[in-house]
Short mmCIF file of all heavy atoms in Angstrom, two decimals:
data_model
loop_
_atom_site.label_atom_id
_atom_site.label_comp_id
_atom_site.label_asym_id
_atom_site.label_seq_id
_atom_site.Cartn_x
_atom_site.Cartn_y
_atom_site.Cartn_z
N ILE P 153 2.75 81.49 -36.23
CA ILE P 153 3.20 81.80 -34.87
C ILE P 153 3.09 80.53 -34.04
O ILE P 153 2.12 79.77 -34.17
CB ILE P 153 2.31 82.89 -34.24
CG1 ILE P 153 2.35 84.16 -35.08
CG2 ILE P 153 2.73 83.20 -32.81
CD1 ILE P 153 1.24 85.13 -34.77
N ASP P 154 4.08 80.32 -33.19
CA ASP P 154 4.07 79.14 -32.33
C ASP P 154 3.13 79.39 -31.15
O ASP P 154 3.54 79.53 -30.01
CB ASP P 154 5.50 78.89 -31.84
CG ASP P 154 5.60 77.57 -31.06
OD1 ASP P 154 4.69 76.75 -31.21
OD2 ASP P 154 6.58 77.40 -30.33
N TYR P 155 1.85 79.48 -31.47
CA TYR P 155 0.85 79.81 -30.47
C TYR P 155 0.39 78.54 -29.73
O TYR P 155 0.22 77.53 -30.37
CB TYR P 155 -0.36 80.46 -31.16
CG TYR P 155 -1.47 80.78 -30.22
CD1 TYR P 155 -1.45 81.93 -29.46
CD2 TYR P 155 -2.52 79.89 -30.04
CE1 TYR P 155 -2.45 82.21 -28.57
CE2 TYR P 155 -3.53 80.15 -29.16
CZ TYR P 155 -3.50 81.32 -28.42
OH TYR P 155 -4.49 81.58 -27.54
N PRO P 156 0.19 78.52 -28.42
CA PRO P 156 0.28 79.66 -27.50
C PRO P 156 1.64 79.83 -26.84
O PRO P 156 1.77 80.64 -25.92
CB PRO P 156 -0.78 79.30 -26.46
CG PRO P 156 -0.72 77.82 -26.37
CD PRO P 156 -0.35 77.33 -27.75
N ALA P 157 2.65 79.07 -27.27
CA ALA P 157 3.97 79.18 -26.65
C ALA P 157 4.57 80.57 -26.83
O ALA P 157 5.17 81.12 -25.91
CB ALA P 157 4.89 78.11 -27.24
N SER P 158 4.39 81.16 -28.01
CA SER P 158 4.93 82.50 -28.24
C SER P 158 3.82 83.54 -28.04
O SER P 158 2.67 83.27 -28.38
CB SER P 158 5.41 82.63 -29.69
OG SER P 158 6.32 81.62 -29.96
N PRO P 159 4.17 84.68 -27.48
CA PRO P 159 3.15 85.72 -27.31
C PRO P 159 2.72 86.28 -28.67
O PRO P 159 3.52 86.35 -29.59
CB PRO P 159 3.88 86.79 -26.48
CG PRO P 159 5.32 86.55 -26.69
CD PRO P 159 5.50 85.10 -27.02
N ILE P 160 1.45 86.62 -28.76
CA ILE P 160 0.97 87.20 -30.02
C ILE P 160 0.75 88.70 -29.83
O ILE P 160 0.39 89.14 -28.74
CB ILE P 160 -0.32 86.54 -30.55
CG1 ILE P 160 -1.41 86.50 -29.46
CG2 ILE P 160 -0.06 85.18 -31.12
CD1 ILE P 160 -2.78 86.16 -29.99
N GLU P 161 0.98 89.43 -30.88
CA GLU P 161 0.76 90.86 -30.82
C GLU P 161 -0.73 91.13 -30.92
O GLU P 161 -1.40 90.56 -31.79
CB GLU P 161 1.49 91.53 -31.97
CG GLU P 161 2.22 92.78 -31.56
CD GLU P 161 3.08 93.31 -32.68
OE1 GLU P 161 4.23 92.84 -32.79
OE2 GLU P 161 2.57 94.15 -33.43
N LYS P 162 -1.22 91.99 -30.02
CA LYS P 162 -2.65 92.27 -30.05
C LYS P 162 -2.98 93.17 -31.24
O LYS P 162 -2.38 94.23 -31.40
CB LYS P 162 -3.03 92.98 -28.75
CG LYS P 162 -4.43 92.67 -28.33
CD LYS P 162 -4.83 93.22 -27.00
CE LYS P 162 -3.76 93.66 -26.09
NZ LYS P 162 -4.16 94.45 -24.96
N PRO P 163 -3.92 92.76 -32.09
CA PRO P 163 -4.27 93.63 -33.22
C PRO P 163 -4.90 94.92 -32.73
O PRO P 163 -5.56 94.94 -31.68
CB PRO P 163 -5.29 92.80 -34.02
CG PRO P 163 -5.29 91.46 -33.42
CD PRO P 163 -4.72 91.56 -32.05
N GLN P 164 -4.72 95.97 -33.49
CA GLN P 164 -5.29 97.26 -33.10
C GLN P 164 -6.81 97.16 -33.04
O GLN P 164 -7.44 96.60 -33.94
CB GLN P 164 -4.88 98.31 -34.13
CG GLN P 164 -4.81 99.68 -33.52
CD GLN P 164 -4.42 100.73 -34.55
OE1 GLN P 164 -4.26 100.42 -35.73
NE2 GLN P 164 -4.27 101.95 -34.11
N GLY P 165 -7.38 97.69 -31.98
CA GLY P 165 -8.83 97.66 -31.83
C GLY P 165 -9.38 96.31 -31.42
O GLY P 165 -10.57 96.05 -31.56
N SER P 166 -8.51 95.45 -30.91
CA SER P 166 -8.98 94.11 -30.52
C SER P 166 -9.92 94.22 -29.32
O SER P 166 -9.77 95.09 -28.47
CB SER P 166 -7.81 93.19 -30.20
OG SER P 166 -7.18 93.62 -29.02
N ARG P 167 -10.89 93.37 -29.28
CA ARG P 167 -11.89 93.41 -28.23
C ARG P 167 -11.67 92.27 -27.25
O ARG P 167 -11.56 91.12 -27.65
CB ARG P 167 -13.29 93.30 -28.81
CG ARG P 167 -13.60 94.37 -29.83
CD ARG P 167 -15.00 94.17 -30.30
NE ARG P 167 -15.21 94.80 -31.58
CZ ARG P 167 -16.15 94.41 -32.42
NH1 ARG P 167 -16.93 93.41 -32.13
NH2 ARG P 167 -16.30 95.03 -33.55
N GLY P 168 -11.65 92.61 -25.97
CA GLY P 168 -11.39 91.59 -24.95
C GLY P 168 -12.60 91.28 -24.11
O GLY P 168 -13.74 91.49 -24.54
N LEU P 169 -12.33 90.82 -22.91
CA LEU P 169 -13.39 90.39 -22.00
C LEU P 169 -14.34 91.53 -21.63
O LEU P 169 -13.92 92.67 -21.52
CB LEU P 169 -12.77 89.86 -20.71
CG LEU P 169 -12.16 88.48 -20.77
CD1 LEU P 169 -11.32 88.22 -19.52
CD2 LEU P 169 -13.24 87.41 -20.87
N ILE P 170 -15.57 91.17 -21.42
CA ILE P 170 -16.57 92.13 -20.95
C ILE P 170 -16.43 92.26 -19.44
O ILE P 170 -16.34 91.26 -18.73
CB ILE P 170 -17.99 91.64 -21.31
CG1 ILE P 170 -18.18 91.57 -22.83
CG2 ILE P 170 -19.07 92.51 -20.68
CD1 ILE P 170 -18.04 92.88 -23.56
N GLU P 171 -16.41 93.49 -18.97
CA GLU P 171 -16.29 93.71 -17.53
C GLU P 171 -17.52 94.47 -17.03
O GLU P 171 -18.12 95.26 -17.77
CB GLU P 171 -15.01 94.46 -17.22
CG GLU P 171 -13.80 93.66 -17.69
CD GLU P 171 -12.60 93.81 -16.79
OE1 GLU P 171 -12.74 93.65 -15.57
OE2 GLU P 171 -11.54 94.10 -17.35
N TYR P 172 -17.84 94.24 -15.79
CA TYR P 172 -19.09 94.72 -15.22
C TYR P 172 -18.82 95.52 -13.95
O TYR P 172 -18.06 95.08 -13.07
CB TYR P 172 -19.95 93.49 -14.90
CG TYR P 172 -21.24 93.76 -14.18
CD1 TYR P 172 -22.25 94.49 -14.77
CD2 TYR P 172 -21.47 93.22 -12.91
CE1 TYR P 172 -23.45 94.70 -14.11
CE2 TYR P 172 -22.66 93.42 -12.26
CZ TYR P 172 -23.65 94.17 -12.86
OH TYR P 172 -24.83 94.37 -12.21
N GLY P 173 -19.45 96.69 -13.85
CA GLY P 173 -19.33 97.51 -12.64
C GLY P 173 -20.65 97.49 -11.90
O GLY P 173 -21.55 98.27 -12.23
N GLU P 174 -20.75 96.62 -10.96
CA GLU P 174 -22.02 96.40 -10.26
C GLU P 174 -22.58 97.67 -9.63
O GLU P 174 -23.79 97.93 -9.70
CB GLU P 174 -21.83 95.32 -9.19
CG GLU P 174 -23.13 94.88 -8.58
CD GLU P 174 -22.96 93.80 -7.53
OE1 GLU P 174 -21.81 93.36 -7.28
OE2 GLU P 174 -23.97 93.40 -6.95
N SER P 175 -21.73 98.48 -9.04
CA SER P 175 -22.21 99.67 -8.33
C SER P 175 -22.87 100.69 -9.28
O SER P 175 -23.67 101.52 -8.86
CB SER P 175 -21.06 100.32 -7.57
OG SER P 175 -20.05 100.68 -8.49
N GLU P 176 -22.54 100.64 -10.56
CA GLU P 176 -23.09 101.60 -11.53
C GLU P 176 -24.28 101.03 -12.30
O GLU P 176 -24.98 101.76 -13.00
CB GLU P 176 -22.01 102.01 -12.54
CG GLU P 176 -20.86 102.78 -11.93
CD GLU P 176 -21.31 104.10 -11.31
OE1 GLU P 176 -22.20 104.75 -11.87
OE2 GLU P 176 -20.78 104.45 -10.24
N CYS P 177 -24.51 99.76 -12.19
CA CYS P 177 -25.58 99.10 -12.96
C CYS P 177 -26.95 99.52 -12.48
O CYS P 177 -27.20 99.61 -11.27
CB CYS P 177 -25.41 97.58 -12.84
SG CYS P 177 -26.64 96.66 -13.76
N ILE P 178 -27.85 99.80 -13.42
CA ILE P 178 -29.22 100.18 -13.05
C ILE P 178 -30.20 99.03 -13.33
O ILE P 178 -31.40 99.20 -13.30
CB ILE P 178 -29.67 101.48 -13.78
CG1 ILE P 178 -29.54 101.31 -15.30
CG2 ILE P 178 -28.88 102.69 -13.29
CD1 ILE P 178 -30.21 102.42 -16.11
N TYR P 179 -29.68 97.89 -13.66
CA TYR P 179 -30.45 96.65 -13.85
C TYR P 179 -31.57 96.81 -14.90
O TYR P 179 -32.68 96.34 -14.71
CB TYR P 179 -31.02 96.17 -12.51
CG TYR P 179 -29.90 95.87 -11.54
CD1 TYR P 179 -29.45 96.85 -10.65
CD2 TYR P 179 -29.26 94.64 -11.54
CE1 TYR P 179 -28.39 96.60 -9.80
CE2 TYR P 179 -28.20 94.38 -10.69
CZ TYR P 179 -27.77 95.37 -9.82
OH TYR P 179 -26.72 95.12 -8.98
N CYS P 180 -31.24 97.46 -15.98
CA CYS P 180 -32.22 97.62 -17.06
C CYS P 180 -32.28 96.38 -17.94
O CYS P 180 -33.21 96.20 -18.72
CB CYS P 180 -31.86 98.84 -17.91
SG CYS P 180 -30.27 98.65 -18.76
N LEU P 181 -31.28 95.54 -17.87
CA LEU P 181 -31.16 94.27 -18.62
C LEU P 181 -31.02 94.45 -20.13
O LEU P 181 -31.23 93.52 -20.89
CB LEU P 181 -32.33 93.32 -18.30
CG LEU P 181 -32.62 93.02 -16.84
CD1 LEU P 181 -33.59 91.86 -16.73
CD2 LEU P 181 -31.37 92.73 -16.04
N LYS P 182 -30.70 95.67 -20.54
CA LYS P 182 -30.53 95.90 -21.99
C LYS P 182 -29.37 95.08 -22.54
O LYS P 182 -29.40 94.63 -23.67
CB LYS P 182 -30.32 97.40 -22.26
CG LYS P 182 -31.60 98.19 -22.11
CD LYS P 182 -31.43 99.63 -22.52
CE LYS P 182 -32.77 100.35 -22.40
NZ LYS P 182 -32.65 101.78 -22.63
N CYS P 183 -28.33 94.91 -21.74
CA CYS P 183 -27.17 94.13 -22.20
C CYS P 183 -27.56 92.67 -22.42
O CYS P 183 -27.18 92.06 -23.42
CB CYS P 183 -26.03 94.23 -21.19
SG CYS P 183 -26.49 93.78 -19.52
N GLU P 184 -28.35 92.16 -21.50
CA GLU P 184 -28.79 90.76 -21.61
C GLU P 184 -29.62 90.56 -22.88
O GLU P 184 -29.41 89.59 -23.62
CB GLU P 184 -29.61 90.38 -20.38
CG GLU P 184 -30.04 88.94 -20.35
CD GLU P 184 -31.00 88.66 -19.22
OE1 GLU P 184 -32.22 88.87 -19.41
OE2 GLU P 184 -30.54 88.23 -18.15
N LYS P 185 -30.51 91.50 -23.15
CA LYS P 185 -31.38 91.39 -24.33
C LYS P 185 -30.59 91.56 -25.62
O LYS P 185 -30.92 90.97 -26.65
CB LYS P 185 -32.50 92.43 -24.26
CG LYS P 185 -33.52 92.11 -23.20
CD LYS P 185 -34.65 93.11 -23.18
CE LYS P 185 -35.51 92.88 -21.96
NZ LYS P 185 -35.50 94.01 -21.03
N ALA P 186 -29.54 92.37 -25.58
CA ALA P 186 -28.77 92.65 -26.81
C ALA P 186 -27.79 91.54 -27.16
O ALA P 186 -27.31 91.48 -28.28
CB ALA P 186 -28.01 93.96 -26.64
N CYS P 187 -27.50 90.69 -26.22
CA CYS P 187 -26.43 89.70 -26.43
C CYS P 187 -26.88 88.54 -27.34
O CYS P 187 -27.78 87.77 -26.98
CB CYS P 187 -25.99 89.15 -25.08
SG CYS P 187 -24.69 87.90 -25.23
N PRO P 188 -26.30 88.41 -28.51
CA PRO P 188 -26.74 87.36 -29.45
C PRO P 188 -26.65 85.93 -28.88
O PRO P 188 -27.60 85.16 -29.02
CB PRO P 188 -25.87 87.55 -30.68
CG PRO P 188 -25.35 88.95 -30.59
CD PRO P 188 -25.25 89.25 -29.13
N PRO P 189 -25.53 85.53 -28.26
CA PRO P 189 -25.48 84.14 -27.79
C PRO P 189 -25.94 83.95 -26.35
O PRO P 189 -25.75 82.88 -25.77
CB PRO P 189 -23.98 83.80 -27.92
CG PRO P 189 -23.29 85.09 -27.69
CD PRO P 189 -24.21 86.18 -28.14
N GLN P 190 -26.52 84.99 -25.76
CA GLN P 190 -26.97 84.94 -24.36
C GLN P 190 -25.83 84.60 -23.40
O GLN P 190 -25.94 83.70 -22.57
CB GLN P 190 -28.13 83.95 -24.22
CG GLN P 190 -29.35 84.40 -24.99
CD GLN P 190 -30.57 83.56 -24.71
OE1 GLN P 190 -30.49 82.34 -24.84
NE2 GLN P 190 -31.65 84.18 -24.33
N ALA P 191 -24.76 85.33 -23.58
CA ALA P 191 -23.59 85.13 -22.71
C ALA P 191 -23.70 85.96 -21.43
O ALA P 191 -22.89 85.81 -20.53
CB ALA P 191 -22.32 85.51 -23.46
N ILE P 192 -24.72 86.83 -21.38
CA ILE P 192 -24.99 87.59 -20.15
C ILE P 192 -26.37 87.18 -19.67
O ILE P 192 -27.34 87.24 -20.42
CB ILE P 192 -24.95 89.12 -20.39
CG1 ILE P 192 -23.52 89.57 -20.71
CG2 ILE P 192 -25.48 89.87 -19.17
CD1 ILE P 192 -23.38 91.06 -21.02
N LEU P 193 -26.44 86.76 -18.42
CA LEU P 193 -27.73 86.39 -17.83
C LEU P 193 -27.81 86.96 -16.43
O LEU P 193 -26.90 86.77 -15.61
CB LEU P 193 -27.89 84.87 -17.77
CG LEU P 193 -28.09 84.11 -19.09
CD1 LEU P 193 -28.18 82.62 -18.83
CD2 LEU P 193 -29.33 84.59 -19.85
N PHE P 194 -28.87 87.67 -16.16
CA PHE P 194 -29.13 88.14 -14.80
C PHE P 194 -30.11 87.17 -14.16
O PHE P 194 -31.16 86.88 -14.74
CB PHE P 194 -29.76 89.54 -14.82
CG PHE P 194 -28.76 90.65 -15.06
CD1 PHE P 194 -28.40 91.01 -16.35
CD2 PHE P 194 -28.19 91.32 -13.99
CE1 PHE P 194 -27.48 92.03 -16.58
CE2 PHE P 194 -27.27 92.34 -14.20
CZ PHE P 194 -26.91 92.70 -15.51
#
Side-chain angles (χ1 to χ4, degrees):
I153 301 164
D154 187 19
Y155 177 83
S158 305
I160 52 167
E161 224 172 274
K162 211 174 343 167
Q164 208 181 3
S166 68
R167 303 181 201 155
L169 283 168
I170 296 298
E171 300 215 50
Y172 175 64
E174 189 179 359
S175 59
E176 295 298 323
C177 180
I178 57 169
Y179 299 93
C180 63
L181 307 192
K182 286 186 178 174
C183 54
E184 184 188 85
K185 289 183 190 116
C187 179
Q190 295 188 307
I192 292 177
L193 289 178
F194 281 85

